[in-house]
Every structure is written in C-alpha cells, then in structure tokens.
C-alpha cells in the first residue's frame, strides 16, 4: 500500500496528491510540472503602468539613483569640466532611472564638432564644450546599424550598436553615432535576452515582478479584509422554507426595510420571535506579519534596505539601522565608481577636455554633532598620548590636524592660528607677535576682549578702545 502511495506522490517532495500540494490544478502557487517556468517579458505598456502608477515600482527604479546623487557630484583640483556639472548630474539621474525602469536609455551629448550627428565625434574639433543633453528611454530609440569592423577603432565595439535613431518629444527623428551618446543598460542579461529585446536588456522590474506582485497582493488582500472587517448577519426563522415556497420577493423586501431602518436611525427593528440581526467580525491575526514578510522578500530581491524602501524606522531595542544604511551607502558608492565615474570622464573627453577633472561623490553618511564630538575627543586623547611619549611635538600635531579641525600651524608667527566662522570669536594679538582667534564661547559671549585676554594669560590689548569691545563688535570692525 505504501509503495503505491509513494508512486502516486512521485519522487518530488513538493507534490502531494491528497492535499493537492504541487498540483497545478489545485495548488495556486505551484508552477506546472513542478518546474520554474519562464515569465513572459514585461511589455512596454506594463512597464509604463508600473513606473507611472505603482508607487513601490517607482521607488525600486528611482530611489537607489536619487539617493546616490542626493548630494550631487563635486570636483577636486583646478581642472574644471567642459560642461555644467549640475545639469549633467540631473540628466544622469534621469537616464539611469529610465534605464532601470524600461531596460535601457540614451544620453545624447550635445558636443558640436561641426560634423553630422551620424558620423564619429571628433573631440579635438569641439571648441565650446558640451552645451546640452537629451535623455530618451529605449522606447524612443531604434538601433539602425551594428559595428562590423574587427580592427582599429571598431574592434572593441564589434557587433555592438553603431547608429541609434532617436525620436524626440516633438516627434522628430535623428540618427546619432555611438560616439555621440552614452548608453545606459537595464538589468544585466546575456546576448539571447538582448536579442529578445531588440538589442536592449530587460527592466530591473522583470526579476522583481513576482516579489512586487506578492507585496501588492498582500496589501490588497489586507485592504479587502478591512473593508469586510464586520459583516452583518440576518437570521430569519424558516428561511429555507420561505425560499422553497417562492417567497423570495417578500424576503428581499424585508431585508431592504431592515437596511433602511438601520441607516436612518442606526437601529434595527426585528420580530423578537422570528428574526435576529448580528455582526460577524473577521480576525486579523497574522496578517501584519504576512505583510512584513512580503516586504522583507521584496527588500531582499531589490537589495534596498527595508527602512529605505518603506520609509520606516528600525524596530527593536536600541535598533538604529546604522550598519544597514552604511552598507547601503557603500553599495551606492560602488555603483558610482563602476557606472557613473566612467561616464563623467567620457563626457569630459567628448567636450574636448585636454585634462580630465577629478570627480568625487560627496559622503552620503552625515555624522551627527555628537558623533563629530566623540571623534574629535578620541583624536585629541591620541594626540596627547603622542605628545607625552615624545612621538610628535605639539607643532607637528597642529599641522596634521589642520584639515580635520580647522587648525593650521603658522610657522612664521610660531603660533597656532585657529580659524573659525563663529560670530562670537575675536582676533587678538599674542605676546610673541603672532595672532590667535580666541573662541568667546569658552569664556562667555558677553566678555570683552581684555577679559578674554586675561583669561588666556595675555595682557591688555594695545588699543584700549579695542580691549573694551565684545568679540562680535570687534569682528564687525574687521
């Protein structure tokens, strides 16, 4: 008998003929033949609806890029890019978001070299840098030709798109050579998938679609349960006998009268002997936990922290989510280094730059004032230990801490110059001839210059009138 049952059940532990588990006809979650089946590629209409109307899908496409570029892009050094960096940052953000949503996009770079747009760009002929950019998603782009050369400049682009036809918002069409555009791809895929998409990758929503549908279904089910949280139950004596006698018209009329009386007076009039009216309340036990599990699954698939995806605060005792957010920021910084930095350098070259600027991504993690003070305290304690052990001199410590604490060592005056933007700071002369910014907060904002000097061990200011001024009044004279 048990052998027969095992044969019926088959070798797969996912299939049970008695409970219906794994049976496509009975199990709603089972794929056919106990195999993962290929989902159809999301078409443009579905992607457009998701990106436009589904808030979570829009978050999946936009939040990683918007978070990465929320503080903009900066340059270091004296070399300036041949374009408006703020404008390019905004266009980059839009191009990368559209690529994630639709599977690809193009950033058309407006570098004028005096040649036709469908010919290779000559950066040496560009004189005025890059004056404009245009962003289009792959729905407005057609690949007209592929590179067929295997040598010289075409070698690295062999069998890659050569000419793109771009349809702008005004319905005009322009052919662009690949050297005049920056291409952004969607989800990483192989050559077969790109052939299915006419040369483009699938959307990032393709791999997240099942998780997204589960998340939406869980919340839609919760809303439906809430709409029917309490159901009215009307009991009538001999109800089935009345239906059998074809008295359904009278029953419906009686139900209508009950509903009218309940609506107008918030009460129900019943026959005490033959009728009963109650409410059946639905249980919501476990629903919240199920929704949370669906949200966690979507977070795992998208690699977006749950606190970022849903805008919630970390739960639990002493939970701050700092480590999770730091890991998230590290991931975004790696995306900047891998995907954005090469684009910035290439656009600079397309604009005719002879020397490439140094582009940097500002820190995404912002320390609180308490964290800054703790860092400064730890650094000061380490400096004291170095000085006591004669490892470094105070002057050397001052020189190395300049960029960190705003302290610079003035070798000519042989004094420490403390630079500050504090409005309650005053500039006074020291006995050795150097100058020092004295922070008035240490002594009190209402002390005058001479009192501050006395607290620091200095004599009265050479100018008696200056010695009577408060720090803010003295700064007003400078």
């Amino acid at each position: 008998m048990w052998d027969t049952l095992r044969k019926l059940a088959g070798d797969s532990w996912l299939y049970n003929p008695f409970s219906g588990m794994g049976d496509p006809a009975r199990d709603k979650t089972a794929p056919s033949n106990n195999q993962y089946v290929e989902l159809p590629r999301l078409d443009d209409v579905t992607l457009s609806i998701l990106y436009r109307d589904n808030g979570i899908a829009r978050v999946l496409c936009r939040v990683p890029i918007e978070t990465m570029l929320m503080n903009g892009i900066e340059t270091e050094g004296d070399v300036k890019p041949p374009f408006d960096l703020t404008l390019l940052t905004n266009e980059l953000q839009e191009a990368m978001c559209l690529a994630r949503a639709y599977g690809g996009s193009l950033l058309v770079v407006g570098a004028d070299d005096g040649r036709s747009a469908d010919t290779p760009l000559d950066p040496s002929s560009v004189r005025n840098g890059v004056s404009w950019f245009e962003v289009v998603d792959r729905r407005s782009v057609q690949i007209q030709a592929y590179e067929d050369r295997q040598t010289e400049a075409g070698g690295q682009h062999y069998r890659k798109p050569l000419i793109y036809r771009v349809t702008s918002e005004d319905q005009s069409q322009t052919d662009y050579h690949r050297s005049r555009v920056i291409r952004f791809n969607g989800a990483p895929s192989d050559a077969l998938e790109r052939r299915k998409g006419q040369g483009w990758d699938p959307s990032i929503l393709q791999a997240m679609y099942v998780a997204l549908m589960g998340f939406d279904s869980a919340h839609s089910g919760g809303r439906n349960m809430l709409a029917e949280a309490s159901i009215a139950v009307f009991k009538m004596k001999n109800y089935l006998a009345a239906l059998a006698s074809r008295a359904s018209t009278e029953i419906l009329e009686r139900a209508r009268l009950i509903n009218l009386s309940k609506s107008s007076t918030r009460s129900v009039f019943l026959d005490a002997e033959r009728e009963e009216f109650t409410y059946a309340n639905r249980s919501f036990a476990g629903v919240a936990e199920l929704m949370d599990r669906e949200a966690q699954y979507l977070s795992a698939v998208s690699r977006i922290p749950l606190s970022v995806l849903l805008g919630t605060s970390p739960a639990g005792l002493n939970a701050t989510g700092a480590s999770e957010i730091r890991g998230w920021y590290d991931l975004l910084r790696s995306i900047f280094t891998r995907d954005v930095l090469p684009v910035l350098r290439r656009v600079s070259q397309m604009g005719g730059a002879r020397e490439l600027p140094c582009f940097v991504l500002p820190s995404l993690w912002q320390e609180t004032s308490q964290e800054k003070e703790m860092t400064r305290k730890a650094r000061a304690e380490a400096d004291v230990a170095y000085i006591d052990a004669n490892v470094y001199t105070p002057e050397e410590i001052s020189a190395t801490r300049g960029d960190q604490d705003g302290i610079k060592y003035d070798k000519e005056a042989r004094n420490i110059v403390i630079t500050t933007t504090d409005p309650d700071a005053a500039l006074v002369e020291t006995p050795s001839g150097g100058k020092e910014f004295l922070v008035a907060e240490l002594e009190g904002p209402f002390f005058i210059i001479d009192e501050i000097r006395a607290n620091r061990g200095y004599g009265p200011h050479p100018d008696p009138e200056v010695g009577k001024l408060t720090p803010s009044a003295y700064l007003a004279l400078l």
Side-chain angles (χ1 to χ4, degrees), residues 35-57:
Q35 300 289 332
Y36 283 106
V37 295
E38 180 182 4
L39 295 176
R41 185 158 177 159
L42 300 179
D43 56 54
D44 292 347
V45 175
T46 303
L47 291 175
S48 179
I49 293 174
L50 286 173
Y51 187 63
R52 183 190 63 195
D53 300 334
N54 190 296
I56 297 299

Side-chain angles (χ1 to χ4, degrees), residues 99-238:
R100 290 171 61 85
Y102 295 105
S105 66
L106 285 186
L107 175 66
V108 182
V109 180
D112 186 9
D113 62 346
R115 305 176 65 182
S116 175
D118 58 354
T119 59
L121 176 69
D122 182 12
S124 63
S125 300
V126 177
R127 293 290 178 265
N128 299 320
V130 180
S131 56
W132 56 270
F133 300 95
E134 182 181 5
V135 176
V136 289
D137 63 71
R138 65 154 183 81
R139 298 175 300 170
S140 301
V141 180
Q142 292 180 334
I143 300 176
Q144 295 297 107
Y146 285 83
E147 181 67 75
D148 57 0
R149 296 177 299 170
Q150 301 186 47
T151 59
E152 299 179 356
Q156 60 179 328
H157 301 286
Y158 180 56
R159 293 182 178 176
K160 299 294 180 63
L162 178 66
I163 302 295
Y164 296 93
R165 176 165 293 176
V166 175
T167 303
S168 302
E169 292 183 3
D170 59 358
Q171 302 302 316
S172 63
Q173 292 184 334
T174 308
D175 289 347
Y176 289 100
H177 190 270
R178 58 170 171 76
S179 61
R180 298 179 181 271
V181 299
I182 305 293
R183 171 170 170 156
F184 295 91
N185 297 316
S189 61
D190 53 26
L192 177 60
E193 286 297 324
R194 284 192 291 272
R195 285 200 298 271
K196 292 180 182 179
Q198 298 180 346
W200 297 94
D201 294 316
S203 166
I204 60 111
L205 298 176
Q206 182 74 42
M208 305 178 192
Y209 189 68
V210 173
L212 180 61
M213 290 296 293
F215 179 85
D216 286 342
S217 297
H219 282 74
S220 296
R223 287 192 295 269
N224 292 336
M225 291 180 63
L226 186 62
E228 298 182 354
S230 183
I231 301 176
V233 179
F234 180 60
K235 298 180 180 180
M236 180 183 295
K237 190 173 182 180
N238 297 327

Side-chain angles (χ1 to χ4, degrees), residues 370-392:
Q370 182 179 5
E371 290 174 336
K372 291 179 180 179
E373 292 301 324
M374 292 178 62
T375 301
R376 185 173 298 178
K377 179 181 178 182
R379 198 161 53 225
E381 292 176 349
D383 292 343
V384 171
Y386 285 139
I387 295 174
D388 292 343
N390 294 324
V391 177
Y392 298 112

Side-chain angles (χ1 to χ4, degrees), residues 11-25:
D11 295 332
S12 175
W13 63 273
L14 292 173
Y15 179 74
N16 188 312
F18 301 102
S19 66
M21 184 182 208
D23 185 355

